[in-house]
Amino acid sequence: MERTSETKPVTIVAIGAGNRTNKYLEYAIRNPDRLKLVGVAELNDIRRHAVASKFGLKPEECFADYERFFENPVPADAILIGTPENMHFEPCMKAIEAGYNVLLEKPIAQSLPECCRIAEAARRKGVISFGSLGFALMGSRKN
């Protein structure tokens, strides 16, 4: 996609605000015209508040867990799931069912059947769900 002055940044909500998520968010800091964080769901109060402060998020854009987020979601283009490895499947399926595109950290899920269910749900809803290749493309680039 060619970037123009009228192009709006891709908006994301982060589920999980640990080290890997913060690597992705470095891209948003360096490229605010391309990527904008509009919400965060994180169990750890310190991490959640740190991300909220860094990105100027309002209290209604911050959630103590992803269940609360999905009860009152923030509009966004995509969800970045940066939860611990064994906690990817459920928030991913909820995000897809809610119509969000999803960027998952690796591993995508804990089993091949879960990966297949994610792929089928994404096809059915017409959204994109992809693994951490995005980190190689986004998180490590300087531009």
Side-chain angles (χ1 to χ4, degrees):
M1 176 172 81
E2 185 178 325
R3 309 286 310 168
T4 68
S5 60
E6 293 97 35
T7 305
K8 294 181 180 179
V10 172
T11 57
I12 62 167
V13 171
I15 295 179
N19 291 333
R20 186 53 54 108
T21 294
N22 280 288
K23 283 305 268 182
Y24 281 101
L25 295 180
E26 286 177 14
Y27 183 86
I29 291 167
R30 289 192 315 263
N31 299 279
D33 59 321
R34 293 181 177 209
L35 186 64
K36 180 180 181 184
L37 182 72
V38 296
V40 63
E42 167 59 55
L43 292 171
N44 182 294
D45 289 339
I46 294 169
R47 286 190 214 156
R48 185 175 62 254
H49 293 303
V51 168
S53 176
K54 186 183 287 187
F55 288 90
L57 299 177
K58 300 173 191 164
E60 60 269 20
E61 298 166 331
C62 302
F63 303 86
D65 61 57
Y66 67 84
E67 293 287 352
R68 290 184 185 164
F69 165 73
F70 287 113
E71 290 169 4
N72 191 23
V74 173
D77 297 312
I79 303 290
L80 165 61
I81 297 179
T83 56
E85 292 179 0
N86 63 336
M87 296 178 62
H88 289 181
F89 181 73
E90 188 176 326
C92 179
M93 292 299 285
K94 287 181 175 288
I96 290 169
E97 290 304 318
Y100 290 99
N101 296 298
V102 180
L103 171 59
L104 281 160
E105 251 315 304
K106 62 179 173 59
I108 291 171
Q110 294 294 295
S111 68
L112 180 57
E114 285 183 348
C115 290
C116 292
R117 287 179 59 197
I118 289 170
E120 178 54 34
R123 270 192 294 275
R124 189 178 73 253
K125 290 297 279 190
V127 297
I128 299 169
S129 176
F130 56 100
S132 63
L133 174 62
F135 180 69
L137 298 176
M138 283 181 14
S140 63
R141 287 178 40 180
K142 297 268 184 208
N143 58 1

